[in-house]
Amino acid sequence: MSNANPTILAIDPGTEKLGISLMNETGPMHCWYIKIAKDDLAERYKSVFSSVCDILNSIKIEIDYYTIETPFFGRNIATTIKLGTVRGIIIASIFRRNRDAKIVDINPVEVRNHFGLKKGAKKNECHEFLLKVFRANIEKEQLHEDVLDSLGIGLVALSKIKRMKQNAIIKPITKHIKRRTSRCGKKT
């Protein structure tokens, strides 16, 4: 696993379309847009599974982390349940490839907050920000909005991973400091 510049596979799930990005801190390495045929729901689920498995099999480098956007509970509970099912199917296909896969959860609010956008911000505001970040690497006309969403999810996940690593270093130090202070504070 490369600690300095982790490779991440970011996925924007859906029952009709998926955006997937393979990236690291230097930018996107490869992006996929998958349109799922509007068959019955069971066929769409099978299509999601086989599509994600095919992409995972085509990637020849080691993936350090996987991130899949978590469903945002909105007005339509049925859609939220379907997205949760798709997310579970994607996670199953990831574990099929790598039983020790590290999955980082990212929700839509985290993405919006990461880019400093307000509560009612539209998706296209996030997309415009991403186009500024990746201007040299991607063209707006070449990317579907779901691919842009996966790039945003990936960026936020990379930032979250960096924070998790920093906290893993800081926690043992602070734990040791607290233990020493509690000993010093005892009356003898």
Side-chain angles (χ1 to χ4, degrees), residues 8-11 20-22 32 34 48-63 65-68 89-98 101 103:
I8 190 164
L9 188 73
I11 303 174
I20 302 176
S21 298
L22 180 66
W32 296 266
I34 301 163
V48 167
F49 181 78
S50 63
S51 297
V52 172
C53 284
D54 289 347
I55 288 171
L56 290 171
N57 290 334
S58 74
I59 298 171
K60 301 302 178 201
I61 62 171
E62 184 179 345
I63 300 170
Y65 296 92
Y66 299 82
T67 184
I68 308 145
I89 290 167
I90 292 168
I91 291 170
S93 60
I94 289 169
F95 284 137
R96 184 174 186 234
R97 173 191 166 139
N98 178 0
I103 297 176

Side-chain angles (χ1 to χ4, degrees), residues 10-110:
I11 303 174
D12 179 38
T15 56
E16 296 178 6
K17 50 195 175 178
L18 300 164
I20 302 176
S21 298
L22 180 66
M23 62 191 299
N24 59 26
E25 289 179 347
T26 60
M29 299 156 77
H30 196 82
C31 299
W32 296 266
Y33 169 69
I34 301 163
K35 188 163 174 65
I36 307 295
K38 292 189 179 184
D39 296 327
D40 71 318
L41 198 54
E43 288 302 315
R44 285 193 247 168
Y45 290 154
K46 287 179 195 174
S47 185
V48 167
F49 181 78
S50 63
S51 297
V52 172
C53 284
D54 289 347
I55 288 171
L56 290 171
N57 290 334
S58 74
I59 298 171
K60 301 302 178 201
I61 62 171
E62 184 179 345
I63 300 170
D64 298 313
Y65 296 92
Y66 299 82
T67 184
I68 308 145
E69 187 176 49
T70 58
F72 183 75
F73 181 73
R75 292 183 184 140
N76 191 336
I77 295 169
T79 300
T80 305
I81 292 169
K82 289 175 191 172
L83 279 174
T85 303
V86 167
R87 190 171 184 280
I89 290 167
I90 292 168
I91 291 170
S93 60
I94 289 169
F95 284 137
R96 184 174 186 234
R97 173 191 166 139
N98 178 0
R99 291 185 192 275
D100 298 322
K102 294 178 180 155
I103 297 176
V104 179
D105 290 329
I106 301 295
N107 66 55
V109 175
E110 284 179 285

Side-chain angles (χ1 to χ4, degrees), residues 169-180:
I169 294 168
I170 293 169
K171 279 182 183 177
I173 295 169
T174 56
K175 186 177 180 182
H176 177 72
I177 292 169
K178 285 180 184 176
R179 199 172 343 123
R180 281 190 72 190

Side-chain angles (χ1 to χ4, degrees), residues 150-161:
S150 71
L151 287 168
I153 294 161
L155 267 181
V156 174
L158 285 168
S159 176
K160 193 173 192 177
I161 291 163

